Amino acid sequence: MSTTTPYAHAFTSDNVAGAAPEIIDAVARAAAGPAAPYGADDVTADVRRRLCEIFERDVDVLIVSTGSAANALSLAALTPPWGSVLCHRDSHINNDECGAPEFYTAGAKLVPLPGADAKIDPGALRAAARHKRGDVHSVEPSVVSVTQATEAGAVYTLDELRTLGAVAEETGLRLHMDGARFAGAVAALGCSPAETTWRAGVDLLSFGATKNGTMTADAIVVFDRSLTPELAFRAKRAGQLASKMRFHAAQLDAYLTDGLWLRNAARANAMAARLQEGLKTVPGVHLPGTAEANIVFCHLPQQVVDALLAEGYAFYHDRWEPGVVRLVTSFATTAQDVDGLVDAVRRLAV
């Protein structure tokens, strides 16, 4: 039996990675001396300034401690209790938030939609946006939430986002983006953050950072600033207004300094591409799609899955169909990690 710790060879999630050294250092610096509480400190102001520069316009920023809080609070500000949130059936908010969007919206309904690669199909969105609109016997279509990058490891192109944004505008929907892996999508597209958000019609962005190097800090980036007062009250009521906000802000400030957020994401993407190319060379391994960010799905023989687990490799499997595994890389994944996994699969597949 293997004596390897369960996370010695972890490809379960980018959440298993530690924090970037630059972020650890920033938190230590923030501990020196007093600072104004509840986000009135200079570091929090710097985060907003940096995000205004990154998104090429004035934005408001609410720093929160989790992506779940960013998503749920954003949707609550965009959706009445009698409304509905149109999202992909494989989205994180539909499958992995323990009902937080429904709870924070006081009862709004999530309506799952189809689409390849966990991307919302525009035709399905248009139909759902018009379904029973104005009918008091049904929930009112209110907002569409897109995930960038998707839970399948795909990335919406700029044209795809513009199309969904146009449908949202045409049908009177607000547009939220779950950007848990937003940096990975921007790095993959090679575009400006503005192009993939507000210029495509996004009203609120859940700006993910914990999967890409921070410890306890994500944020809501507010493009429609008329929503800010409500969001501020909702964040406080939800316990997301940290008294010592400077420690969250210090993480994001370092994350955004000198392009660290994009460098980390580019590394995670590159490691996923290396993994994908390596697995393609192994007989008996099938990759159903192309990883565009840092998530790779593949079909492995069951004996290979069992043997990898016994050797201490960690990954999700059998959540989709037998033999399908999900492998996730992070900014901390090394070429040695990837090559070791590929070599193990090759050895065990014989």
Side-chain angles (χ1 to χ4, degrees):
M1 179 175 292
S2 172
T3 58
T4 307
T5 60
Y7 288 99
H9 307 293
F11 290 87
T12 48
S13 171
D14 30 18
N15 289 318
V16 305
E22 298 90 337
I23 288 165
I24 298 291
D25 291 343
V27 172
R29 288 194 300 273
Y38 299 109
D41 58 280
D42 291 341
V43 182
T44 300
D46 281 345
V47 170
R48 178 180 177 273
R49 177 184 57 79
R50 290 188 192 280
L51 286 169
C52 287
E53 292 173 354
I54 285 169
F55 287 101
E56 304 172 48
R57 61 171 286 172
D58 280 341
V59 299
D60 288 328
V61 181
L62 287 88
I63 299 175
V64 295
S65 59
T66 69
S68 294
N71 284 337
L73 291 170
S74 294
L75 294 172
L78 296 171
T79 318
W82 55 89
S84 64
V85 178
L86 310 181
C87 58
H88 196 276
R89 62 192 174 203
D90 293 328
S91 64
H92 196 81
I93 63 170
N94 189 48
N95 293 318
D96 298 285
E97 300 282 28
C98 194
E102 295 92 332
F103 177 78
Y104 280 93
T105 58
K109 184 176 182 178
L110 270 61
V111 176
L113 302 177
D117 297 323
K119 298 179 181 180
I120 295 173
D121 177 78
L125 174 61
R126 183 176 285 106
R130 292 173 173 166
H131 182 65
K132 290 192 174 184
R133 172 146 281 194
D135 183 346
V136 297
H137 299 282
S138 181
V139 289
E140 182 79 347
S142 303
V143 58
V144 56
S145 179
V146 299
T147 309
Q148 179 73 321
T150 76
E151 293 294 301
V155 173
Y156 282 97
T157 66
L158 295 181
D159 284 344
E160 288 171 333
L161 287 171
R162 291 174 188 136
T163 296
L164 293 179
V167 173
E169 183 176 16
E170 165 197 330
T171 55
L173 299 175
R174 307 305 294 271
L175 182 54
H176 165 256
M177 178 174 283
D178 176 357
R181 296 183 175 94
F182 179 72
V186 173
L189 289 170
C191 68
S192 74
E195 287 180 284
T196 190
T197 53
W198 63 271
R199 285 184 179 145
V202 174
D203 295 299
L204 293 176
L205 166 68
S206 297
F207 186 77
T210 53
K211 295 181 187 297
N212 195 39
T214 66
M215 296 185 293
T216 58
D218 281 4
I220 301 171
V221 178
V222 186
F223 302 112
D224 180 354
R225 298 177 69 195
S226 69
L227 297 167
T228 302
E230 178 180 346
L231 277 165
F233 279 103
R234 287 186 177 277
K236 173 61 178 178
R237 191 167 182 260
Q240 288 295 321
L241 179 62
S243 60
K244 295 185 179 180
M245 184 67 77
R246 69 185 185 273
F247 292 107
H248 290 333
Q251 296 174 57
L252 290 173
D253 192 47
Y255 183 66
L256 299 170
T257 298
D258 297 331
L260 176 63
W261 68 295
L262 290 176
R263 292 200 307 277
N264 280 359
R267 180 176 184 81
N269 290 357
M271 292 300 100
R274 185 185 185 100
L275 177 58
Q276 182 172 245
E277 290 306 307
L279 291 173
K280 283 179 181 178
T281 67
V282 180
V285 175
H286 171 62
L287 287 87
T290 299
E292 296 173 303
N294 66 319
I295 300 175
V296 176
F297 281 89
C298 66
H299 291 264
L300 296 178
Q302 189 59 50
Q303 70 271 18
V304 174
V305 172
D306 294 339
L308 286 172
L309 294 172
E311 290 190 8
Y313 286 92
F315 48 84
Y316 286 122
H317 59 100
D318 288 342
R319 287 189 168 194
W320 302 272
E321 58 183 90
V324 173
V325 305
R326 189 191 77 164
L327 304 167
V328 184
T329 55
S330 76
F331 74 94
T333 304
T334 67
Q336 280 184 317
D337 295 331
V338 169
D339 295 346
L341 174 58
V342 172
D343 289 344
V345 172
R346 192 187 317 279
R347 168 172 47 82
L348 297 168
V350 175

